[in-house]
Amino acid sequence: MKVADMSKEIVILNGPNLNLLGKREPHIYGSDTLADVERNCAAIAAQSGYTIKLQQSNSEGAIVDMIHAARETACAIVINPAAYTHTSVAILDALSTFEGPVIEVHISNTHKREEFRHHSYVSKRAEGVIMGCGIQGYEFGVMRVIALTSN
Ligand code: DHK
């Protein structure tokens, strides 16, 4: 049995500019920060005996590396690839090497926004997609992966 099969770690990955969550375009992304996301998700995860590892990078290759690392430690990935959603075959391919569930999260409803935000490469791999729910979307993502991985 692989490590990840026994794991109760959920990796939450965040793409470029989300380090500025809370300061960046708050009319679109709100005023809560990634620290708030981590705290809220950890509280939900703990109720079912899961842990959260939240990471963020502005670099595509670093996110690919984080996904590879998650292969060894995590039972599931919740990912907001941010702008890489719409451009990155590399992140899609990395996610395709991960065997557990993947949930894609967007804080905003990208379908209400510019045309170039309507297509997602990551959706080709994701079991579910949550968008337009603000940072609560991450919590819904965590709830979903718990439902998919607990028995
Ligand atoms: C975040 C971003 O940074 C954008 O590039 C995406 C996504 C949407 C979000 O809504 O969380 O287009």
Side-chain angles (χ1 to χ4, degrees):
M1 188 180 258
K2 294 189 295 297
V3 175
D5 290 336
M6 298 175 289
S7 168
K8 293 248 176 187
E9 177 185 275
I10 301 166
V11 167
I12 303 180
L13 296 177
N14 292 276
N17 302 301
L18 288 169
N19 53 311
L20 295 180
L21 190 63
K23 299 180 191 148
R24 162 203 190 204
E25 300 180 277
H27 57 290
I28 297 174
Y29 299 107
S31 54
D32 293 314
T33 66
L34 273 191
D36 296 319
V37 171
E38 186 168 29
R39 192 194 56 238
N40 295 351
C41 289
I44 287 168
Q47 289 170 13
S48 301
Y50 285 71
T51 59
I52 295 297
K53 181 177 181 183
L54 186 142
Q55 297 173 284
Q56 187 276 333
S57 178
N58 294 322
S59 304
E60 186 176 25
I63 295 167
V64 168
D65 289 341
M66 289 169 183
I67 294 166
H68 292 176
R71 282 163 47 83
E72 308 301 324
T73 65
C75 64
I77 295 175
V78 175
I79 183 166
N80 182 348
Y84 290 138
T85 305
H86 319 298
T87 62
S88 182
V89 176
I91 290 175
L92 168 62
D93 285 352
L95 288 169
S96 297
T97 76
F98 183 78
E99 291 183 2
V102 173
I103 302 293
E104 177 183 353
V105 171
H106 301 288
I107 296 164
S108 64
N109 178 357
T110 57
H111 290 294
K112 280 180 79 175
R113 302 179 64 192
E114 302 95 324
E115 187 92 30
F116 64 82
R117 295 184 202 274
H118 295 183
H119 177 262
S120 166
Y121 283 99
V122 171
S123 293
K124 282 261 174 231
R125 165 63 184 87
E127 267 69 37
V129 182
I130 299 160
M131 64 168 69
C133 297
I135 67 160
Q136 223 184 347
Y138 291 91
E139 296 163 45
F140 297 151
V142 167
M143 289 178 202
R144 182 63 184 154
V145 296
I146 291 171
L148 290 171
T149 58
S150 56
N151 32 29

